């Protein structure tokens, strides 16, 4: 009778219990606050844990639409569990970290620091532990996790092995997983990619073009047929054929225009005959009167002898 009355009292109080709500962008913080409030409610109303096997059901009745939606997105194992602690751990990961994943260019330490920042910012009661579980979930999906387990280990299941490690050991294990993946990708690429220097398939450090001089650019370690250097025919600066970066006129000063990097005979800068400013023949950009001030009209860029001022 007493238990029946207790159940009725608990049910009546559940009717007015506020559901989970999310205000702004602080999803993790709101969830952690609601979770702590719910646990306090259970501790107060069911202090003897008479209905512990129904706590998960009570939670689903009180959490509201947001919690129900999150519950549906959990794994099948999480949905089938009757252990409230396990369920809350999965929901912690869902609400606090969301879709956070380690980027390919991101190192493990930086990623873990980012997760820790989110966990602490959400006021989680045990941020280190929840970050550890998040990392374990990430490693579980790694294709090379099983291969990274040491051969001396008696545990072959990835999850069981990870849960037997401390946080530092888990980070080292993840690094081994990534190294295994890099080695696999490297071996795959070495076997499948055509060498850009010789155009054939070969093992590392076994390129047949090593030491060979290219007839095109005169460089070494690639065949002429695989040369990537651009070749210029009838260069407008020197008039010869050569590799793009090896023009013989480079650094030479033209006697006509005074500019660099082309021969005088191939100079394309126009020549001014009997210049109206200086009276001489010169390249269009090399008038000797440029900058000179006429002593007659006090204006620049012409000699006194060519001044048109009356």
């Amino acid at each position: 009778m007493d238990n029946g009355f207790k159940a009725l009292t608990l049910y009546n109080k559940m009717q007015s219990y506020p559901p989970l709500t999310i205000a702004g962008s602080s999803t993790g913080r709101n969830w952690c606050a609601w979770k702590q409030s719910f646990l306090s409610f259970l501790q107060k109303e069911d202090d003897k844990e008479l209905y512990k096997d129904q706590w998960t059901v009570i939670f689903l009745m009180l959490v509201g639409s947001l919690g129900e939606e999150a519950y549906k997105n959990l794994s099948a194992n999480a949905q089938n569990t009757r252990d409230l602690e396990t369920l809350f751990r999965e929901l912690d990961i869902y609400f606090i970290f969301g879709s956070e994943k380690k980027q390919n260019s991101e190192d493990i330490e930086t990623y873990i620091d980012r997760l820790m920042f989110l966990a602490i910012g959400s006021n989680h009661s045990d941020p280190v532990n929840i970050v550890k579980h998040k990392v374990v979930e990430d490693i579980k999906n790694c294709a090379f996790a099983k291969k990274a387990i040491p051969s001396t280990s008696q545990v072959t299941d990835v999850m069981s092995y990870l849960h037997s490690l401390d946080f530092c050991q888990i980070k080292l294990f993840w690094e081994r997983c990534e190294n295994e993946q890099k080695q696999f990708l490297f071996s795959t690429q070495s076997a499948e990619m055509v060498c850009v220097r010789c155009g054939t398939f070969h093992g590392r450090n076994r390129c047949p073009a090593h030491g060979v001089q290219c007839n095109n650019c005169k460089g070494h370690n690639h065949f002429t047929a695989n040369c990537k250097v651009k070749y210029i025919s009838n260069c407008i600066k020197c008039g010869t054929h050569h590799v793009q970066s090896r023009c013989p006129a480079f650094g030479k000063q033209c006697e006509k225009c005074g500019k660099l990097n082309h021969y005088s005979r191939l100079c394309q800068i126009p020549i001014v005959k009997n210049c109206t400013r200086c009276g001489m023949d010169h390249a269009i950009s090399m008038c000797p009167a440029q900058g000179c001030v006429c002593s007659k009209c006090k204006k620049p860029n012409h000699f006194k002898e060519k001044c048109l001022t009356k």
Side-chain angles (χ1 to χ4, degrees):
M1 184 69 179
D2 183 57
N3 288 346
F5 179 76
K6 185 80 173 178
L8 181 61
T9 303
L10 178 61
Y11 178 78
N12 290 334
K13 290 186 177 181
M14 286 168 53
Q15 304 306 307
S16 59
Y17 195 86
L20 171 65
T21 56
I22 303 298
S25 58
S26 55
T27 305
R29 183 185 292 267
N30 290 339
W31 157 250
C32 289
W34 189 92
K35 181 183 71 171
Q36 291 301 323
S37 176
F38 175 76
L39 291 174
S40 299
F41 171 79
L42 287 181
Q43 186 177 10
K44 178 181 178 181
E45 302 300 333
D46 191 21
D47 54 336
K48 296 183 179 180
E49 300 184 356
L50 298 175
Y51 309 105
K52 187 174 182 178
D53 59 337
Q54 297 297 318
W55 281 1
T56 302
V57 177
I58 295 173
F59 162 74
L60 293 174
M61 293 175 64
L62 299 184
V63 72
S65 58
L66 289 176
E68 291 175 359
E69 184 66 26
Y71 179 79
K72 293 176 182 178
N73 289 321
L74 299 181
S75 64
N77 290 335
Q79 292 184 22
N80 294 331
T81 184
R82 299 185 69 86
D83 180 30
L84 191 62
E85 182 179 353
T86 302
L87 177 60
F88 275 175
R89 185 171 60 243
E90 295 294 325
L91 288 170
D92 284 344
I93 293 174
Y94 178 87
F95 281 113
I96 295 174
F97 305 119
S99 58
E100 290 290 331
K101 294 292 182 183
K102 178 182 173 296
Q103 304 300 316
N104 293 331
S105 58
E106 188 176 27
D107 62 77
I108 295 173
E109 287 290 344
T110 303
Y111 175 64
I112 291 177
D113 288 344
R114 186 154 57 87
L115 295 180
M116 192 67 70
F117 177 79
L118 291 172
I120 294 174
S122 299
N123 288 336
H124 193 275
S125 57
D126 190 356
V128 174
N129 187 53
I130 195 60
V131 170
K132 175 183 175 181
H133 281 284
K134 166 62 175 171
V135 171
V136 168
E137 288 293 323
D138 290 341
I139 298 176
K140 180 184 69 174
N141 299 322
C142 178
F144 295 87
K146 192 173 184 64
K147 190 175 181 180
I149 297 177
S151 57
T152 56
S153 174
Q154 297 180 352
V155 182
T156 57
D157 178 66
V158 174
M159 293 299 290
S160 300
Y161 178 75
L162 289 173
H163 285 302
S164 68
L165 305 177
D166 59 34
F167 205 173
C168 292
Q169 291 173 329
I170 288 175
K171 288 189 284 187
L172 293 175
F173 179 81
W174 199 355
E175 290 176 357
R176 286 203 301 272
C177 291
E178 291 197 336
N179 290 334
E180 290 284 350
Q181 184 174 7
K182 289 177 182 177
Q183 291 177 7
F184 174 78
L185 291 175
F186 179 79
S187 62
T188 303
Q189 291 173 352
S190 298
E192 296 181 356
M193 292 183 65
V194 178
C195 176
V196 296
R197 297 174 180 267
C198 68
T200 64
F201 299 93
H202 58 76
R204 189 180 183 185
N205 297 328
R206 295 185 178 182
C207 181
H210 180 72
V212 176
Q213 185 177 30
C214 172
N215 295 327
N216 183 25
C217 67
K218 306 305 179 184
H220 292 81
N221 301 327
H222 65 271
F223 292 147
T224 304
N226 297 91
C227 183
K228 304 298 181 183
V229 179
K230 186 177 180 180
Y231 198 79
I232 297 178
S233 298
N234 194 22
C235 175
I236 61 173
K237 296 186 177 184
C238 67
T240 64
H241 310 301
H242 59 78
V243 175
Q244 186 178 26
S245 60
R246 297 187 180 182
C247 180
F250 180 76
K252 303 293 183 181
Q253 186 175 24
C254 175
E255 297 176 356
K256 291 184 178 180
C257 68
K259 294 188 176 181
L260 298 173
N261 303 331
H262 65 272
Y263 290 149
S264 301
R265 59 185 175 83
L266 296 175
C267 182
Q268 298 182 1
I269 296 179
I271 301 297
V272 178
K273 299 289 186 179
N274 191 20
C275 176
T276 58
R277 298 188 177 201
C278 67
M280 295 181 283
D281 300 338
H282 58 76
I284 194 171
S285 60
M286 295 187 66
C287 180
Q290 182 71 25
C292 294
V293 179
C294 174
S295 59
K296 183 178 179 181
C297 67
K298 307 302 180 183
K299 292 183 178 180
N301 302 331
H302 65 274
F303 291 152
K304 176 183 176 181
E305 292 77 7
K306 290 293 181 177
C307 183
L308 301 177
T309 303
K310 296 182 180 180

